[in-house]
Amino acid sequence: MKLLLIFLTMLSLPAWAELSHESELSVLNTGGNSELQAYNAITKNKFVADKRAYIFGGHYTYGEANNSLSARNWDVNAKYEQELTERWSANLAETIEGNRFQDVKVRYNSDVGGKYSAIKNDAQNWFFELAYRYTVEDRYSSDNIYQHKARTYTEWNKKHSETLQWKLWLEYLPNFSNGTDWMMTGEASVTAIMTSMFSLKVAYKGLYDHLPADPALKHYDYITTTSLVAKF
């Protein structure tokens, strides 16, 4: 319901609202003795009107090795931000995600929280987010679970030059319903700007799940990507 309300609100945005869009795609195909197909697509869209921001996007990752499914995960998300002061803002967010190889059929995350911008200028941007999260998770191997969590997030962007940028982010999800079931995710990336619209991005993303849905699953997953980015 919260996700629907966010999208309905976006439809009422004035015509002068600022829009930005960013999408990236990485593809890997091999043949012969080793057959591998892997795809990773990410999109992010942002409307800014006065002191309000409306953000929505998602990602989809799919991979096959020797004609067998080896990776499949996805998410769609929507977020509303209300600027309170130059450095502080409040936000509401909804994320729906799934990961076949983490035993997650679908997971619903509802967030309410705030954001603090420690550094905000043309050269770099560093901010922190803190939110309460309510999670409903439908697993392949068990019944639904309902959990109360917190979400802590920090992101740092640095413009090294006109053609080179760095980005680091880290997310930690403590779990109030089950203290041992916490997660941490982070990514480091570098982007080389080729034109006003297209860039080349190299990234490493890691996810640590302290209590996987299935005891047979590994605690740590990671992905390295080289992607073509379109931004306007």
Side-chain angles (χ1 to χ4, degrees):
M1 179 61 71
K2 187 186 298 181
L3 183 63
L4 177 61
L5 290 174
I6 292 174
F7 279 115
L8 289 176
T9 305
M10 290 174 58
L11 296 177
S12 65
L13 286 174
W16 45 264
E18 178 186 346
L19 167 66
S20 62
H21 169 82
E22 181 177 329
S23 289
E24 61 182 82
L25 175 66
S26 56
V27 179
L28 175 63
N29 281 281
T30 66
N33 293 310
S34 176
E35 295 185 0
L36 173 66
Q37 300 85 38
Y39 310 90
N40 186 59
I42 303 173
T43 185
K44 181 178 180 180
N45 305 273
K46 185 175 182 178
F47 290 94
V48 178
D50 193 19
K51 296 184 177 183
R52 296 167 292 159
Y54 307 83
I55 305 164
F56 65 95
H59 93 279
Y60 184 74
T61 300
Y62 181 87
E64 289 186 0
N66 296 319
N67 298 318
S68 297
L69 183 66
S70 60
R72 185 174 65 197
N73 58 80
W74 57 271
D75 88 278
V76 291
N77 58 79
K79 189 174 188 177
Y80 167 72
E81 289 185 352
Q82 175 66 55
E83 182 180 322
L84 303 176
T85 68
E86 183 179 352
R87 292 187 178 272
W88 291 93
S89 62
N91 58 66
L92 298 171
E94 185 76 20
T95 303
I96 306 171
E97 58 186 340
N99 192 323
R100 178 65 183 86
F101 291 89
Q102 290 182 352
D103 197 41
V104 179
K105 184 181 297 184
V106 61
R107 178 191 292 139
Y108 302 89
N109 299 310
S110 302
D111 298 348
V112 55
K115 174 181 176 181
Y116 172 73
S117 296
I119 302 175
K120 190 176 182 180
N121 54 52
D122 292 337
Q124 61 179 322
N125 184 19
W126 184 25
F127 65 86
F128 300 87
E129 292 184 348
L130 177 63
Y132 161 76
R133 168 170 290 186
Y134 181 66
T135 296
V136 179
E137 184 175 307
D138 184 6
R139 297 178 173 177
Y140 287 96
S141 62
S142 63
D143 296 331
N144 291 2
I145 61 171
Y146 306 86
Q147 296 180 327
H148 300 275
K149 303 178 180 179
R151 176 181 180 267
T152 61
Y153 179 89
T154 184
E155 181 180 309
W156 175 70
N157 296 271
K158 172 70 174 179
K159 187 177 181 181
H160 182 73
S161 67
E162 293 299 323
T163 58
L164 193 65
Q165 298 179 356
W166 309 89
K167 181 177 179 179
L168 297 170
W169 63 262
L170 184 67
E171 180 186 64
Y172 173 57
L173 302 174
N175 192 324
F176 302 131
S177 300
N178 183 351
T180 60
D181 191 11
W182 56 270
M183 299 175 65
M184 182 175 289
T185 309
E187 182 181 88
S189 63
V190 57
T191 300
I193 300 172
M194 299 183 293
T195 70
S196 59
M197 181 177 291
F198 294 104
S199 305
L200 188 66
K201 175 182 174 182
V202 178
Y204 175 90
K205 180 180 179 180
L207 185 152
Y208 180 83
D209 188 346
H210 190 66
L211 187 64
D214 188 329
L217 296 174
K218 295 181 178 179
H219 291 275
Y220 188 70
D221 291 317
Y222 68 91
I223 181 172
T224 57
T225 55
T226 300
S227 308
L228 180 65
V229 180
K231 185 176 183 179
F232 59 84

